[in-house]
Structures are given as C-alpha cells and as structure tokens.
Amino acid sequence: VVPLNKTKIIKKHTKHTNRYQSDRFDRVSTSWRKPTGIDGRIRRRYRGMPKMPKIGRVSNKKTRHLLPNGLKKFHIENERDLEVLLMNNRSYCAEIAQGISARKRSSIVEKAKAMNVVVTNA
C-alpha cells in the first residue's frame, strides 16, 4: 500500500519535556505544567535551567502522527474495526490491541490482507 502523503517526515523534538521537580517528588507527575511561582527560576528563564516548551517545538501538522512508513496508526480490537479502514487504507494502518488472543489476531490479520490494509504488529 502506497501512502497518499509523500512529505518528508521531520521530527523536531522527540524528547518529552518533564515537569520541573518531577524527579525530586513522587507527588509531582512528569506531565508538563507551566511554572507559576513568583520566584521560579524556570519561569523567569534563568541561564542553566531547563527550558520551557515553546510553540516552535511542535512538528509539522501534515506529518505529526505519521509512522516511518507514511501511515497513521488505528487501534483495532475486532474484525468490525477493520471496516473503518476500507476506504482509508492509504492514510491509516491497523495496530492490533495488546490483549487480543492469537486465534482472534490471526483472523484479523487474514481479513486485513484481503482488504489490503497494513497491520503494524501482525
């Protein structure tokens, strides 16, 4: 299956920005939150401190969720979910859910092959 989008994929930043002091305390999760303290060194952008994420870190909208094969992932849990990809098989590929049994998985892969849909973890 040849993907519709031929644009070169450029990942600007692949590293996730962690929340300030999330490495010090278990109660502070790693998901990014903007520092708001009045004396915060990060918020005031002091030299030598971790950088805050900016809008320029975001990848190109056309290539944002693309895999190296040029397709986007679509989560599959049963054979009926594959029917959604029938008309979109050149922009999406199937990824079978983790908890699917081997018997059900093989029937999904078989149907995907008949429908000309790419399965990433077949």
Side-chain angles (χ1 to χ4, degrees):
V1 179
V2 180
L4 283 172
N5 196 345
K6 298 262 196 253
T7 325
K8 188 170 191 277
I9 302 168
I10 298 168
K11 305 277 187 206
K12 281 187 180 174
H13 292 272
T14 55
K15 203 171 160 200
H16 177 256
T17 310
N18 287 337
R19 187 176 175 180
Y20 179 53
Q21 291 193 332
S22 63
D23 55 333
R24 282 180 127 200
F25 305 106
D26 284 336
R27 65 177 180 264
V28 179
S29 70
T30 57
S31 61
W32 174 254
R33 297 288 183 275
K34 188 171 170 31
T36 56
I38 55 169
D39 295 327
R41 298 179 296 178
I42 305 288
R43 183 189 59 78
R44 290 160 74 185
R45 300 196 182 117
Y46 277 22
R47 191 175 59 197
M49 292 291 108
K51 291 218 163 59
M52 287 199 289
K54 293 180 178 162
I55 196 67
R57 293 177 60 95
V58 180
S59 297
N60 185 352
K61 198 181 272 186
K62 288 179 182 171
T63 63
R64 189 163 300 161
H65 298 287
L66 291 184
L67 299 172
N69 64 5
L71 301 170
K72 294 179 182 179
K73 275 188 209 172
F74 186 77
H75 200 69
I76 301 288
E77 291 193 2
N78 53 45
E79 286 186 34
R80 260 182 304 137
D81 291 348
L82 270 176
E83 291 166 16
V84 178
L85 298 180
L86 187 60
M87 298 299 287
N88 300 316
N89 64 345
R90 290 186 64 199
S91 50
Y92 287 90
C93 63
E95 184 169 76
I96 302 169
Q98 184 194 350
I100 304 299
S101 66
R103 186 185 62 174
K104 202 169 165 188
R105 186 179 290 265
S106 63
S107 68
I108 290 172
V109 171
E110 208 173 284
K111 187 168 183 184
K113 198 169 199 170
M115 292 169 61
N116 200 18
V117 172
V118 178
V119 181
T120 56
N121 57 349

